[in-house]
Amino acid sequence: MSVVLLIMALLLFAGAIVLLFEREVLAPAASLLGLTAVYFSGLLPLSPNMLITWLALTVIVMGVSYMQPAALMAQRRGVGYMLGGALAGMAVGVMAVSQSVSHEVSHAVLTVPLTVWYASLVAGALIGIFLSFLLYTRSPGGRDVGMSSGRFFTYVAAKGFPLAIAMIQPGLVLMLWLLTRG
């Protein structure tokens, strides 16, 4: 049963990525369902508190997203940049922590508290989203949502927060899998 739940989780995470380009307000829900499937599989040390926290964050972000103007929610500009930035940011954040761990001690990775890994994953994703959207505003298609337009922070919040919630959850699963596999 745990293999079925794991396959379902992977499909839901992939579906969340597709939804980011189609209807990003639903992407966090797909990711949360994937995280829930991983939790019930019992293959990774996910706590109920983590699941409840991600449920609350997902509900809040989806609720705020539904309140956005329809014209803003219909736009997809810069989402690919932000997705790449989130993935790169999570990777850099986790690698930064792993590089700070002494490699001379056996199992040194496990001596770093999980909260430090978790924080580096989240911070890396958020910084990556912000910087990649800033990079997008330098392209011809993104000039009208640049910093000087007054719409930069509105747009990056409307698109970036659902993207962050949708991408950090599979990133968390991957990070836990890597940490438990040594």
Side-chain angles (χ1 to χ4, degrees):
M1 184 65 170
S2 61
V3 173
V4 171
L5 288 171
L6 186 61
I7 292 170
M8 187 167 53
L10 293 174
L11 291 173
L12 285 164
F13 289 145
I17 292 172
V18 171
L19 283 171
L20 286 170
F21 294 98
E22 297 298 321
R23 185 139 165 88
E24 80 263 355
V25 73
L26 299 176
S31 269
L32 179 67
L33 290 172
L35 188 66
T36 304
V38 170
Y39 172 76
F40 284 114
S41 75
L43 296 174
L44 294 175
L46 280 169
S47 72
N49 292 338
M50 289 174 120
L51 202 57
I52 291 168
T53 301
W54 282 109
L55 172 64
L57 289 170
T58 300
V59 168
I60 290 168
V61 166
M62 287 179 68
V64 170
S65 293
Y66 273 118
M67 290 186 248
Q68 298 291 332
L72 178 62
M73 292 310 293
Q75 296 180 14
R76 301 289 176 257
R77 296 182 299 173
V79 172
Y81 279 76
M82 289 190 280
L83 177 61
L87 294 174
M90 286 189 295
V92 168
V94 171
M95 283 192 296
V97 173
S98 68
Q99 292 302 316
S100 68
V101 174
S102 171
H103 295 290
E104 297 172 7
V105 181
S106 64
H107 300 93
V109 172
L110 299 178
T111 62
V112 176
L114 184 60
T115 54
V116 174
W117 290 96
Y118 201 18
S120 67
L121 180 83
V122 172
L126 294 175
I127 291 168
I129 288 169
F130 180 81
L131 292 178
S132 62
F133 189 70
L134 189 60
L135 178 66
Y136 172 72
T137 62
R138 304 290 183 191
S139 72
R143 294 200 196 281
D144 58 337
V145 287
M147 288 281 260
S148 61
S149 72
R151 296 186 304 250
F152 177 82
F153 289 106
T154 302
Y155 194 83
V156 78
K159 300 296 178 185
F161 284 130
L163 193 140
I165 297 298
M167 293 315 303
I168 292 172
Q169 293 175 41
L172 172 66
V173 169
L174 181 61
M175 181 187 69
L176 287 174
W177 182 75
L178 291 171
L179 288 173
T180 57
R181 299 298 177 247

